[in-house]
């Protein structure tokens, strides 16, 4: 759930900014993201960049192939879940959780991958905090 950044009820309307991409004006959404049928726009993307989309899917297929690499499919999918949580892609989260489950991962495996991702994301914030402390020394 996105947090409300600002609410403006002046001039008889309602304007709400939710995150950086959501706006509700006069009680109605102006743009809404992450709808269940958004994948229909893949055809538009494929039509505008067919070679690049083809290369992307070939790469994705190779990365998750059971015929290459040393990691078992469940581990690959758990890594994908952790990365998807970190990059905050709802489509990737849903897809890779389902695939991880199909490959034998359970709820505790998914939760562990999520918490590993959370720890790394938090760790990155702490280590970037070092840069803030360093900046204090630069003056």
């Amino acid at each position: 759930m996105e947090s409300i950044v600002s609410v403006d009820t002046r001039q008889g309307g309602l304007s709400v900014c939710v995150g950086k991409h959501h706006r509700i004006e006069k009680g109605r959404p102006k743009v809404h993201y992450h709808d269940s049928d958004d994948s229909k726009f893949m055809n538009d993307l494929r039509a505008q960049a067919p070679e690049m989309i083809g290369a992307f899917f070939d790469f994705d297929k190779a990365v998750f192939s059971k015929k290459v690499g040393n990691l078992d499919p469940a581990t690959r999918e758990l890594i994908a879940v952790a990365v998807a949580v970190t990059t905050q892609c709802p489509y990737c989260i849903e897809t890779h959780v389902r695939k991880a489950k199909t490959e034998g991962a359970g709820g505790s495996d998914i939760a562990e991958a999520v918490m590993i991702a959370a720890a790394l994301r938090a760790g990155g914030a702490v280590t970037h905090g070092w840069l803030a402390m360093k900046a204090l020394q630069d003056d």
Side-chain angles (χ1 to χ4, degrees), residues 32-55:
H32 182 73
Y33 292 86
H34 305 306
D35 291 319
S36 60
D37 65 344
D38 282 346
S39 62
K40 68 185 177 189
F41 294 103
M42 177 54 82
N43 291 332
D44 296 337
L45 193 56
R46 188 185 319 265
Q48 297 299 318
E51 297 85 11
M52 289 181 254
I53 291 297

Side-chain angles (χ1 to χ4, degrees), residues 119-133:
L120 286 171
R121 185 103 185 216
V126 170
T127 58
H128 276 81
W130 301 347
L131 298 176
M133 297 297 100

Side-chain angles (χ1 to χ4, degrees), residues 43-104:
N43 291 332
D44 296 337
L45 193 56
R46 188 185 319 265
Q48 297 299 318
E51 297 85 11
M52 289 181 254
I53 291 297
F56 167 77
F57 281 115
D58 289 345
F59 174 67
D60 192 69
K61 184 177 178 182
V63 167
F64 288 98
S65 172
K66 295 179 182 182
K67 297 176 184 176
V68 297
N70 295 318
L71 296 175
D72 63 89
T75 301
R76 289 179 192 211
E77 292 300 338
L78 289 169
I79 292 169
V81 168
V83 172
V85 168
T86 302
T87 61
Q88 301 175 339
C89 175
Y91 311 108
C92 297
I93 292 167
E94 181 179 4
T95 297
H96 292 290
V97 164
R98 287 182 180 170
K99 287 182 176 183
K101 185 178 175 184
T102 298
E103 295 296 342

Side-chain angles (χ1 to χ4, degrees), residues 2 16-24 30-34:
E2 298 282 343
V16 179
C17 180
V18 183
K20 63 180 181 179
H21 297 293
H22 299 93
R23 288 197 68 75
I24 300 173
K30 184 173 182 183
V31 178
H32 182 73
Y33 292 86
H34 305 306

